[in-house]
Amino acid sequence: MAERDAGVHGRGWTRREFVAGAGAAAAGLALGSGAAFGAAGARASVSRTYARNERLRVGLIGCGGRGTGAAVDALTASDGVEIYALGDVFPERIDSCRSGLEQLPTELRQRVAVDAKRVFTGFDAYKGVIGSGVDVVILATPPGFRPGHFAAAVEAGKHVFMEKPVAVDGPGVRTVLAAAERAAAQRLSVVAGTQRRHERCYLEAMERLRGGAIGSVRSARVYWNQGGLWVNARQPAWSDMEWQLRNWLYFAWLSGDHIVEQHVHNLDVANWAIGATPVRCTGMGGRQVRTDAAYGHIFDHFAVEYEYPGGVVVSSMCRQIDGCAGRVEEVVVGTQGVMVTASGRARIEGERPWRFEGEN
């Protein structure tokens, strides 16, 4: 990446000229991968300094904890980035985000350039952010809104980082795929928040897998089993809509259920390791513990068997129930060994053993 940075400064390109060129490669890599989108777009669009005195303007759509964290990550990635606009359906989310950004170290805080004219609230806040003069948008609202926001950002010619999952149902997925094709045609960079694709332990493990370290992949087991998550007690003044928005993870139209919103990470690793997507699946699930109406209508556990081309089978489990054993990892079984991965760690057992020991 250092050579490319030197080339940018040597030629004196503007940020828009550079991102347009980098975006062509990023979009091509992204659309050609088995996952939603690749890491190249993030490095091309955000993680570098551009021509002197010129910065990428980043707009944040969805100012909760996840969105605020993504904004901080963008500021940390490069001193050629500034947070330029904020949008959220709830005004207090804007306030909490700004308060958090104001507590950053001086070198980061001085690149928060959000004035009153570039703060937007309500369901149309995303339109204001996209139209505010930003170069890149971060999409971090509840994922049910993601397809529409992504399509609007691409239509406006913006580069995009969007949190996972990119959609919660079939129509949403098709909207995202169509917008992705338009993004590629416009040479835009697009990156999704499947962060395991960016972790060194995973990257090194997958490189070894591709090199034959475990032989041919025959099966896998993937898990996200944990305890329960937060819930906001319903207030008398809240409408049904506000109650659901403030508890979005418990409603399938907003989250896709936790198998989509959370377990997507592990399923993405299975697709990555196998190099394909499933051809069929058989599953079960239910509400064993979280049966109160406060938890909306999602399940608290799932178990699914996925069949991939060539007869490769993946067993998938995810659970959000307190008091049970936790397990968040992936186990890939090959003809000559086994690869075990989880956030921050990876190892291979078998004929060519290996363990990740570097900085993640």
Side-chain angles (χ1 to χ4, degrees):
M1 304 307 292
E3 291 181 357
R4 294 187 182 181
D5 286 349
V8 170
H9 293 300
R11 291 183 58 182
W13 291 0
T14 69
R15 66 169 182 268
R16 289 174 179 82
E17 288 173 334
F18 178 77
V19 174
L29 288 171
L31 293 174
S33 70
F37 301 100
R43 294 193 289 267
S45 291
V46 178
S47 300
R48 66 178 83 250
T49 303
Y50 298 87
R52 183 173 297 177
N53 299 324
E54 194 171 15
R55 294 173 178 157
L56 278 176
R57 295 173 173 176
V58 176
L60 174 61
I61 302 171
C63 296
R66 184 169 294 175
T68 301
V72 174
D73 288 342
L75 290 170
T76 305
S78 170
D79 59 8
V81 172
E82 66 182 11
I83 304 303
Y84 192 73
L86 301 175
D88 197 283
V89 68
F90 295 120
E92 69 270 22
R93 290 292 192 188
I94 300 282
D95 296 338
S96 63
C97 178
R98 299 189 79 165
S99 176
L101 295 175
E102 289 170 0
Q103 297 176 38
L104 292 173
T106 302
E107 63 271 20
L108 300 182
R109 187 176 65 249
Q110 66 185 4
R111 289 187 280 110
V112 178
V114 181
D115 65 23
K117 296 180 180 179
R118 296 191 296 275
V119 174
F120 307 92
T121 59
F123 283 101
D124 287 339
Y126 74 98
K127 296 179 181 178
V129 173
I130 291 171
S132 66
V134 297
D135 304 299
V136 181
V137 294
I138 297 173
L139 305 183
T141 66
F145 298 107
R146 194 95 69 238
H149 291 176
F150 178 50
V154 171
E155 183 68 23
K158 307 303 178 183
H159 305 281
V160 177
F161 170 81
M162 55 180 172
E163 262 299 349
K164 56 79 207 166
V166 301
V168 301
D169 53 25
V173 168
R174 289 187 285 274
T175 296
V176 168
L177 291 175
E181 291 185 1
R182 293 194 297 273
Q186 296 180 58
R187 302 164 66 87
L188 299 175
S189 295
V190 180
V191 180
T194 43
Q195 74 261 19
R196 282 160 170 75
R197 298 270 178 161
H198 310 271
E199 287 194 54
R200 290 179 181 170
C201 64
Y202 277 91
L203 292 169
E204 291 192 19
M206 289 296 177
E207 182 178 2
R208 284 167 170 75
L209 181 148
R210 297 284 182 257
I214 67 171
S216 299
V217 175
R218 300 312 307 151
S219 67
R221 305 187 302 274
V222 298
Y223 308 89
W224 195 306
N225 295 335
Q226 67 157 71
L229 294 175
W230 52 268
V231 61
N232 290 314
R234 184 164 187 170
Q235 303 301 309
W238 290 355
S239 65
D240 286 346
M241 177 62 76
E242 182 169 356
W243 170 57
Q244 293 189 29
L245 287 177
R246 293 188 183 278
N247 290 276
W248 60 268
L249 72 163
Y250 298 115
F251 297 92
W253 75 274
L254 285 166
S255 71
D257 211 316
H258 64 95
I259 191 172
V260 173
E261 201 281 324
Q262 186 177 67
H263 193 40
V264 63
H265 288 299
N266 316 104
L267 296 172
D268 178 52
V269 172
N271 292 347
W272 188 9
I274 297 168
T277 53
V279 294
R280 62 179 59 86
C281 67
T282 304
M284 54 180 272
R287 291 166 65 94
Q288 186 69 26
V289 173
R290 291 192 307 204
T291 57
D292 191 275
Y295 301 105
H297 55 244
I298 70 168
F299 288 1
D300 54 24
H301 68 280
F302 291 88
V304 184
E305 181 180 270
Y306 295 93
E307 183 179 338
Y308 286 72
V312 177
V313 174
V314 173
S315 173
S316 154
M317 298 182 189
C318 58
R319 182 185 64 229
Q320 291 182 350
I321 299 178
D322 289 333
C324 297
R327 187 175 189 182
V328 181
E329 67 177 12
E330 304 86 28
V331 181
V332 182
V333 180
T335 55
Q336 298 174 25
V338 177
M339 182 181 78
V340 182
T341 51
S343 185
R345 57 185 172 86
R347 71 180 189 273
I348 290 176
E349 303 169 350
E351 298 180 12
R352 298 163 64 179
W354 164 82
R355 182 181 296 272
F356 176 78
E357 296 179 344
E359 181 181 351
N360 200 43

